[in-house]
Amino acid sequence: MFKLFTANFWDVTARLILRNKIIILVGIVIATYLFSTQWDNMRFTYTEANLLPDDHEVNVTYNNFLKTFGEEGNLIVLGVKDSSVFTVAKLNAWNKLSERLKKHEGVETVVSIKDLQKLVKDRANEKFRLEPFIKDSIASLKQLDRLQDELFNKYPFYDNFLFNKDTKTIRSAIYLDKAIVNTAARKDFVVTVLIPEIEAFEKANTLDVRISGMPYIRTLNSQNIIDEINLFVIAALLVTSIIFFFFFRSFRATFISLVVVCIGVMWTLGILGILNYEITVLTALIPPLIIVIGIPNCIFLINKYQHEVKLHGNKVKSLQRVITKIGNATLMTNVTTASGFATFILTESTLLKEFGIVASLSILAIFILCLLIIPIIYSFLPFPKDRHLEHLNKRWIGGFVDWMERMVKQKRIAIYTTSLILLIASMIGIYQIKISGSLIEDMPQDSDFVHDIRFFEDEFNGIMPLEIMIDTKRKKGVMKLSTLKRMNALEDLIIETPELSKPISVVSLVKYSKQAYYNGNPKYYQIPTSQENSFILSYAKNSTSNVDLLNNFVDSTGQYARITTFMKDIGTDKMEAIEASLQHEIDKVFPEDRYDVTMTGKALVFQKGTKYLVKNLAISLSLAIFLISLFMAYMFRSGRMIIVSLIPNLLPLLVTAGLMGYLGVPIKPSTILVFSIAFGISVDDTIHFLAKYRQELQANHWKIKVSVYGALRETGVSMFYTSIVLFFGFSVFTISSFGGTVALGALVSATLLFAMLSNLLLLPSLLLSLERSIANKEVLRKPAINIIPEEDEME
């Protein structure tokens, strides 16, 4: 009954398409226009990808920190490592650069060497006051030498903040208005103000200025994502069109296919706009993905049309058969591919959900476009000439098909042995896979801003903020001497950790106050004793000079304090070890009943997000396998066929995972997509092969060997064609400047190549070896869905 409905459905669909050609084309044009009006709603991401659910404990902790202290990622740093900067003219120019930047809208404040102030004891009024190191500008070398001596030798409070006393590297800190940090205004400041100012300064003073900080990194990284969308789309169109032309040797067929996939890309961008999703490093991959997945649809449809034309010479009948015969097959394969992507929707990560929704909708959209546009356009074109059909007679692929048949006939043991060796080797490799939670690892490693990140890591031990928030559970509890001592003990551990920078907190200010109380003697830069504390506090209470300094490290109630440090770009294993070490010290120093201490910051949030994704990888892949197994069970009505079909599709995934272990490619947000994507695509070949195999069984009166070899010869060529397109199509991503995208492209390409060989060698071998278990009445049952129509079976 269902089978009859399906056949009637496609007959009706074919008639509707071919009888309403103009209306459909006009509808596609209108739909494309409407989608294009939504492009303005596309938003390019202004923050790092948050891989965790909004209600995850790590996100909740981070958001609580932001509520207390505000946006932490608003710092841009400028640095110079050049001895010539310590000349009167150049140091004055450096300070004037900061003064100019202060005047720009969107800048909260700029702290340069000129802005540094000494905390000085005022005995007469029993208070501290601030005096600038540089009052106006530096007028002489003597004044410059005195400044260097004071900064590098007498005031440890500022060491590793605006200078490195060992390497004489200096830097300035630009604090952006927190309101613009995660908006388009940040990009405007960086691109139109900051970069031109720095370039002009460099040219005028022959100095190499390094720039870093999260707002700057985010801006340039986002711009790279935007640039690569265009690059990927052009490269995917070029590569797939060249391969397509190589197969068909027809400019007309190639042009039609390009038109279809270009419209598909326009629809994809429209879907992004309608849903108001941000374009991230993941969603940026979808437009070229649609090209790569859409071209095989075009190959199936155009190839079938040309076969039909050559068979009976009736163009209208050929177009109708293209829809009725190939429509069902392409629908099934596109549904399975979309299912691989759609499993990400069931994860709790917003980033993956958005990727899964847009990708699965776009795949179904490109199927509809192929099914509508290709038959309609060919209905308007003249009858194909002989040169358009020449590719159907090519024999060069015959050698490859003969080799496959020989292998399955004569080398079945070798195929099983090779598969077993690959499986064992892969399992060993899988245990060597590492997890990466680095924000910087996937960024373009050859770009100037990544080189600058490395520069600041070497000079100031990192730029990735790691925050520790201390809740004393009572107002003004931070300034209690017992709290300060506990914080100091934790800071000592941070200082001893080479991957972390010198911490910044109220503790440093209290130490600086003691130094000032003892007339600036640097040996008194330490936590005061309880007796000293009362004297120093009396001075501090009379002072207003240090209130602004306190605001960044203690909240208005005095209940919460923060310790800020910066982390180098390190692997997840090291990051977890540092986190464990800090947590151990926190547990030891801060009693739980009196303090609530939490660690957070962008570095930690990203690392936790990656770990979360790894857990979700197993879930999403299992869901993909389960959904596709259900689909195949419904289609073939055979439990045994499900097991046989899954083996050649799971083996390539294991081989790829093993390769990742051996090659040192870590699991990270980009590479984690490989498995679900590859499984969803590779299972298409299995469906085609098994559908043809079942047809051959019926045609050959259940002669297993004849049926397997017949299916191998029939489907081998089309599987080879589509696999080549997909292999080179996904290889396009290897031209990316993002390491994760390169790995994604290479791994999916390799997986699909393994999957093709597995489906053409291992699958038929299994069918032959298990013929007594499989070739029975269970397979003889009519399938719920006929991939290949009965008319083909009779032919």
Side-chain angles (χ1 to χ4, degrees):
M1 188 69 175
F2 184 82
K3 180 180 165 186
L4 181 62
F5 169 78
T6 305
N8 290 335
F9 171 79
W10 288 109
D11 286 336
V12 171
T13 301
R15 285 197 297 272
L16 284 173
I17 292 172
L18 296 174
R19 289 177 182 177
N20 300 279
K21 295 179 287 189
I22 301 298
I23 295 173
I24 291 172
L25 287 179
V26 170
I28 290 172
V29 171
I30 292 172
T32 305
Y33 169 75
L34 292 175
F35 275 123
S36 69
T37 62
Q38 298 298 315
W39 296 350
D40 291 337
N41 295 330
M42 288 190 301
R43 297 176 297 124
F44 294 97
T45 182
Y46 295 109
T47 61
E48 298 82 17
N50 194 332
L51 309 175
L52 294 167
D54 293 337
D55 59 353
H56 193 280
E57 180 186 2
V58 174
N59 265 342
V60 171
T61 300
Y62 182 66
N63 290 330
N64 287 338
F65 170 83
L66 295 183
K67 286 177 185 176
T68 306
F69 290 104
E71 172 63 45
E72 44 126 15
N74 66 327
L75 173 65
I76 296 178
V77 289
L78 312 177
V80 173
K81 185 179 182 179
D82 190 325
S83 58
S84 70
V85 77
F86 289 101
T87 59
V88 173
K90 290 189 177 181
L91 196 56
N92 282 333
W94 177 255
N95 290 327
K96 285 177 183 176
L97 171 65
S98 298
E99 293 299 318
R100 289 197 300 275
L101 291 172
K102 279 181 188 177
K103 297 174 183 177
H104 285 285
E105 188 178 353
V107 175
E108 190 176 274
T109 186
V110 179
V111 183
S112 188
I113 285 180
K114 185 178 184 297
D115 301 292
L116 298 186
Q117 301 192 66
K118 307 172 194 174
L119 197 62
V120 178
K121 180 181 180 182
D122 184 348
R123 286 188 178 182
N125 298 304
E126 292 191 348
K127 68 176 185 178
F128 295 120
R129 56 185 171 80
L130 292 173
E131 288 184 359
F133 282 89
I134 305 170
K135 289 185 178 178
D136 295 312
S137 61
I138 299 170
S140 65
L141 282 174
K142 184 178 180 181
Q143 187 181 355
L144 180 61
D145 290 340
R146 186 171 65 250
L147 172 67
Q148 290 188 69
D149 179 57
E150 287 181 330
L151 287 178
F152 298 148
N153 300 315
K154 295 182 179 179
Y155 289 92
F157 176 74
Y158 292 113
D159 185 26
N160 216 49
F161 174 52
L162 291 186
F163 58 86
N164 181 329
K165 69 178 183 181
D166 297 323
T167 63
K168 302 298 188 288
T169 300
I170 64 169
R171 64 178 177 176
S172 293
I174 304 169
Y175 291 91
L176 297 187
D177 183 347
K178 293 174 181 178
I180 74 159
V181 169
N182 295 323
T183 69
R186 184 196 71 208
K187 178 186 175 183
D188 293 337
F189 170 76
V190 170
V191 174
T192 62
V193 175
L194 180 64
I195 293 176
E197 283 276 12
I198 298 303
E199 288 175 348
F201 174 83
E202 287 179 322
K203 186 176 181 181
N205 296 279
T206 60
L207 289 172
D208 180 19
V209 179
R210 307 300 187 106
I211 314 174
S212 196
M214 294 314 298
Y216 179 77
I217 294 169
R218 291 172 186 168
T219 300
L220 269 62
N221 203 46
S222 296
Q223 189 58 49
N224 278 346
I225 293 172
I226 296 166
D227 294 340
E228 288 203 348
I229 293 177
N230 297 327
L231 177 66
F232 288 151
V233 168
I234 292 169
L237 285 171
L238 185 64
V239 169
T240 53
S241 60
I242 288 172
I243 297 170
F244 190 96
F245 182 78
F246 177 77
F247 288 154
F248 285 88
R249 301 299 173 93
S250 167
F251 286 109
R252 185 164 70 184
T254 305
F255 178 74
I256 292 169
S257 300
L258 291 180
V259 168
V260 173
V261 294
C262 284
I263 294 173
V265 169
M266 295 169 74
W267 282 28
T268 295
L269 297 177
I271 291 169
L272 278 167
I274 290 170
L275 297 174
N276 206 28
Y277 287 166
E278 289 184 342
I279 294 183
T280 64
V281 72
L282 293 186
T283 51
L285 302 177
I286 298 176
L289 272 175
I290 295 308
I291 296 171
V292 173
I293 293 170
I295 288 293
N297 287 344
C298 297
I299 288 176
F300 277 120
L301 292 165
I302 294 174
N303 200 47
K304 182 62 178 176
Y305 168 66
Q306 293 179 345
H307 267 292
E308 290 289 337
V309 165
K310 186 177 180 183
L311 185 66
H312 49 70
N314 187 322
K315 189 173 82 167
V316 175
K317 184 180 179 181
S318 299
L319 291 170
Q320 188 168 4
R321 285 192 169 189
V322 164
I323 299 168
T324 56
K325 293 183 178 183
I326 300 300
N328 208 33
T330 51
L331 173 62
M332 294 305 105
T333 54
N334 278 271
V335 165
T336 55
T337 302
S339 297
F341 288 90
T343 54
F344 294 117
I345 299 171
L346 301 176
T347 66
E348 294 182 15
S349 169
T350 302
L351 185 77
L352 286 183
K353 274 184 181 178
E354 293 180 357
F355 175 78
I357 290 169
V358 177
S360 53
L361 288 176
S362 299
I363 289 167
L364 297 177
I366 193 68
F367 158 72
I368 293 169
L369 288 170
C370 290
L371 192 67
L372 294 176
I373 294 175
I374 289 176
I376 289 175
I377 289 181
Y378 270 100
S379 71
F380 289 112
L381 295 175
F383 194 85
K385 297 178 180 178
D386 290 340
R387 60 188 175 86
H388 294 141
L389 307 177
E390 284 179 1
H391 72 95
L392 299 174
N393 300 320
K394 288 190 181 298
R395 301 298 179 193
W396 61 271
I397 196 68
F400 176 69
V401 176
D402 290 339
W403 173 78
M404 289 188 301
E405 192 171 338
R406 282 197 308 273
M407 289 295 293
V408 174
K409 278 182 180 178
Q410 303 168 12
K411 306 287 185 181
R412 217 175 303 157
I413 299 300
I415 291 172
Y416 293 145
T417 304
T418 304
S419 300
L420 184 61
I421 292 170
L422 284 173
L423 177 62
I424 295 169
S426 299
M427 296 304 292
I428 296 171
I430 287 171
Y431 281 102
Q432 299 178 40
I433 292 180
K434 295 182 179 178
I435 301 169
S436 170
S438 166
L439 264 172
I440 299 167
E441 186 179 45
D442 275 350
M443 293 179 182
Q445 297 301 301
D446 293 331
S447 62
D448 290 339
F449 75 87
V450 170
H451 290 157
D452 288 352
I453 290 171
R454 304 300 181 198
F455 169 81
F456 283 104
E457 279 191 343
D458 293 338
E459 297 298 322
F460 297 97
N461 289 347
I463 53 95
M464 299 300 304
L466 177 66
E467 302 280 359
I468 300 171
M469 187 167 76
I470 298 114
D471 177 5
T472 62
K473 299 184 180 181
R474 55 180 173 169
K475 290 184 178 180
K476 298 183 180 180
V478 172
M479 298 309 294
K480 295 290 183 183
L481 188 59
S482 58
T483 301
L484 295 172
K485 286 181 177 179
R486 295 177 198 279
M487 291 174 66
N488 188 56
L490 181 58
E491 289 189 11
D492 286 341
L493 177 62
I494 294 173
I495 292 169
E496 292 170 4
T497 306
E499 293 84 5
L500 299 177
S501 69
K502 177 186 173 184
I504 308 169
S505 75
V506 67
V507 172
S508 302
L509 185 58
V510 170
K511 289 180 179 179
Y512 193 17
S513 298
K514 179 175 177 178
Q515 181 185 352
Y517 185 80
Y518 285 100
N519 301 313
N521 189 333
K523 77 175 185 178
Y524 288 104
Y525 183 75
Q526 55 190 237
I527 290 286
T529 63
S530 56
Q531 185 177 7
E532 291 169 330
N533 194 45
S534 59
F535 294 114
I536 293 169
L537 279 179
S538 67
Y539 269 71
K541 286 175 182 176
N542 295 330
S543 306
T544 57
S545 57
N546 60 350
V547 171
D548 291 337
L549 293 172
L550 269 176
N551 286 343
N552 285 326
F553 305 114
V554 182
D555 80 315
S556 57
T557 66
Q559 178 176 332
Y560 296 91
R562 71 190 280 194
I563 299 174
T564 301
T565 181
F566 294 91
M567 183 179 286
K568 287 185 177 181
D569 180 34
I570 55 178
T572 303
D573 292 343
K574 282 187 178 179
M575 199 179 291
E576 286 180 338
I578 290 170
E579 183 190 359
S581 175
L582 292 174
Q583 190 61 55
H584 176 73
E585 185 70 12
I586 289 168
D587 294 339
K588 184 174 74 174
V589 173
F590 293 93
E592 282 187 21
D593 58 328
R594 293 173 56 193
Y595 299 94
D596 185 8
V597 183
T598 52
M599 275 185 284
T600 186
K602 285 292 183 185
L604 201 62
V605 170
F606 195 82
Q607 180 249 333
K608 296 290 186 184
T610 305
K611 293 285 285 185
Y612 177 82
L613 280 191
V614 173
K615 293 177 182 177
N616 274 266
L617 167 64
I619 297 170
S620 61
L621 185 57
S622 300
L623 280 170
I625 294 169
F626 177 71
L627 288 174
I628 292 170
S629 297
L630 282 180
F631 176 72
M632 296 183 74
Y634 184 69
M635 195 166 56
F636 293 110
R637 300 292 179 90
S638 169
R640 294 185 179 94
M641 293 293 276
I642 294 172
I643 297 170
V644 170
S645 64
L646 287 179
I647 291 172
N649 286 293
L650 292 177
L651 180 62
L653 300 185
L654 294 172
V655 171
T656 300
L659 279 176
M660 290 174 68
Y662 289 122
L663 298 176
V665 178
I667 289 284
K668 48 189 172 182
S670 48
T671 57
I672 215 163
L673 303 175
V674 169
F675 303 99
S676 294
I677 292 174
F679 183 79
I681 295 174
S682 66
V683 80
D684 295 349
D685 286 343
T686 307
I687 291 173
H688 276 294
F689 184 91
L690 291 178
K692 188 63 184 176
Y693 167 66
R694 184 189 169 280
Q695 176 194 321
E696 292 287 330
L697 277 176
Q698 291 179 316
N700 294 301
H701 307 290
W702 300 96
K703 295 178 181 177
I704 302 296
K705 291 182 180 178
V706 175
S707 300
V708 168
Y709 299 138
L712 190 60
R713 286 196 159 275
E714 283 288 323
T715 59
V717 175
S718 62
M719 287 164 67
F720 176 77
Y721 279 1
T722 54
S723 294
I724 291 298
V725 171
L726 290 166
F727 175 83
F728 285 104
F730 277 99
S731 296
V732 160
F733 293 124
T734 60
I735 66 175
S736 172
S737 58
F738 292 87
T741 307
V742 172
L744 173 69
L747 290 170
V748 172
S749 295
T751 307
L752 294 177
L753 197 60
F754 286 134
M756 178 193 72
L757 293 173
S758 185
N759 277 305
L760 291 175
L761 296 175
L762 183 58
L763 178 57
S765 297
L766 288 170
L767 291 172
L768 289 171
S769 298
L770 302 173
E771 59 181 275
R772 291 184 181 178
S773 300
I774 294 175
N776 54 28
K777 291 182 180 179
E778 189 179 45
V779 182
L780 183 59
R781 293 177 192 166
K782 293 291 183 184
I785 302 173
N786 254 4
I787 297 297
I788 302 173
E790 276 189 7
E791 196 175 347
D792 270 9
E793 296 177 17
M794 290 187 289
E795 287 172 3

